[in-house]
Amino acid sequence: MIDAMSKTKRIFFCIVGIASSFFSATLFLALLSMFRPPFLSNDADPASDSVENERYDLHFPSDLEELKSLASLLKQYRKENSGYVVFLFCSAYLYKQTFAIPGSVFMNLLAGAIFGIWAGFPLVCFLTAFGASFCYLLSRAFGKVLLLEFFPDRLQALQVKVKENHDSLFFFLLFLRLFPMSPNWFLNMSSPVLEVPLMQFFFSVLIGLMPYNFICSQTGCILAQLNSLDELFTSSVIVKLCGIALVALLPGLIVKMFRKNKKSHKD
């Protein structure tokens, strides 16, 4: 009975911790969106600042049409308020990554549309890695009890794989990121519980998601011509991503074979 109460208290503490963090981050993002410099079009005059400022409501896009409208707006807005647009985009991206909120594809497309491929691609790569690391740290602080309570089987299965690939852990993590069917949100949350080192985690995300981020950012540069998200991940693109993932797995397999042969010779 005491153990059950203690477990309930730990779960409650973790939920409160995550909820408090989420509320604080949401409040910051809302204030950043509300207290923004005025939106002005090229033909607008200073007297219309307040009108223009009230006309646009910044929010995360939920479909392709909303994304196109937001991209067009922010591209225009960036001409006079570049620093604010960069800071707003980075804050929004880290927010979604930290709390494992779906929709990273929209943010990557938006980066390509606003900043272009040469600035947008490296930006989203680092934001993905830092955002995933923030999720890692949040999970390390509050997530272990919740993961063990609600995802015990999935966590155990991944733990077995991590132990099997302990000698070549980085390459295994890289494979999981490159393989397009890997649940990135669960990898971010479970890695601290499985004692994956933060530095290995960070660089596996940075490098492993580069192909995905590049495809999205590159497509974002021609966002106006995109009619559906299905055009983004065609069968040929999926095959290429799978091929890259398998190539990333090869060094780990070679290391495992080398160490196994070395161990057998010693025996």
Side-chain angles (χ1 to χ4, degrees):
M1 188 67 169
I2 296 176
D3 290 341
M5 289 180 63
S6 177
K7 184 179 179 182
T8 303
K9 286 182 179 179
R10 289 199 301 270
I11 292 175
F12 176 76
F13 172 77
C14 291
I15 292 174
V16 169
I18 294 173
S20 300
S21 302
F22 181 75
F23 175 79
S24 301
T26 303
L27 180 62
F28 169 78
L29 202 57
L31 292 174
L32 183 62
S33 173
M34 290 169 59
F35 295 98
R36 60 182 181 257
F39 281 85
L40 287 172
S41 58
N42 286 341
D43 56 348
D45 59 80
S48 64
D49 283 7
S50 60
V51 177
E52 292 293 334
N53 201 32
E54 292 174 0
R55 186 176 300 173
Y56 301 109
D57 177 30
L58 292 176
H59 60 276
F60 288 111
S62 57
D63 56 46
L64 194 56
E65 290 307 313
E66 287 187 3
L67 179 66
K68 288 180 180 180
S69 298
L70 182 62
S72 177
L73 170 67
L74 292 179
K75 281 174 71 176
Q76 183 67 32
Y77 190 39
R78 183 172 174 242
K79 294 177 181 178
E80 295 182 1
N81 300 280
S82 179
Y84 174 79
V85 171
V86 172
F87 185 62
L88 177 67
F89 178 83
C90 292
S91 299
Y93 202 107
L94 291 174
Y95 173 82
K96 289 182 78 73
Q97 287 288 311
T98 300
F99 298 103
I101 301 172
S104 64
V105 61
F106 284 131
M107 299 301 293
N108 289 348
L109 287 169
L110 192 60
I114 299 173
F115 306 111
I117 185 64
W118 297 113
F121 169 58
L123 179 64
V124 296
C125 286
F126 280 100
L127 288 176
T128 301
F130 278 108
S133 298
F134 291 159
C135 184
Y136 174 107
L137 295 173
L138 186 66
S139 180
R140 187 164 70 180
F142 303 111
K144 183 174 182 179
V145 175
L146 297 176
L147 287 170
L148 290 172
E149 178 68 19
F150 297 107
F151 302 100
D153 295 336
R154 178 176 281 190
L155 192 63
Q156 186 176 11
L158 186 57
Q159 186 175 35
V160 170
K161 292 295 183 182
V162 168
K163 286 184 177 179
E164 287 177 355
N165 294 275
H166 184 266
D167 292 338
S168 54
L169 182 58
F170 178 76
F171 295 109
F172 176 68
L173 294 174
L174 206 58
F175 167 78
L176 291 179
R177 296 295 178 176
L178 287 163
F179 190 62
M181 300 305 292
S182 298
N184 284 306
W185 63 269
F186 187 73
L187 290 174
N188 296 346
M189 294 179 182
S190 61
S191 290
V193 181
L194 301 178
E195 298 181 350
V196 173
L198 180 58
M199 290 302 293
Q200 287 195 37
F201 173 86
F202 176 87
F203 284 104
S204 68
V205 176
L206 178 66
I207 299 171
L209 289 180
M210 276 186 177
Y212 169 81
N213 289 335
F214 181 79
I215 291 169
C216 294
S217 301
Q218 187 182 45
T219 307
C221 296
I222 53 170
L223 182 61
Q225 304 173 27
L226 198 65
N227 297 313
S228 169
L229 290 180
D230 293 335
E231 298 175 23
L232 181 60
F233 294 107
T234 61
S235 56
S236 61
V237 170
I238 297 296
V239 169
K240 288 176 183 177
L241 290 176
C242 291
I244 295 171
L246 291 174
V247 169
L249 191 61
L250 283 176
L253 294 175
I254 293 171
V255 170
K256 284 179 69 176
M257 290 177 60
F258 176 76
R259 292 192 176 182
K260 189 179 289 185
N261 291 334
K262 191 175 181 180
K263 187 176 179 182
S264 63
H265 284 312
K266 284 184 178 179
D267 295 340

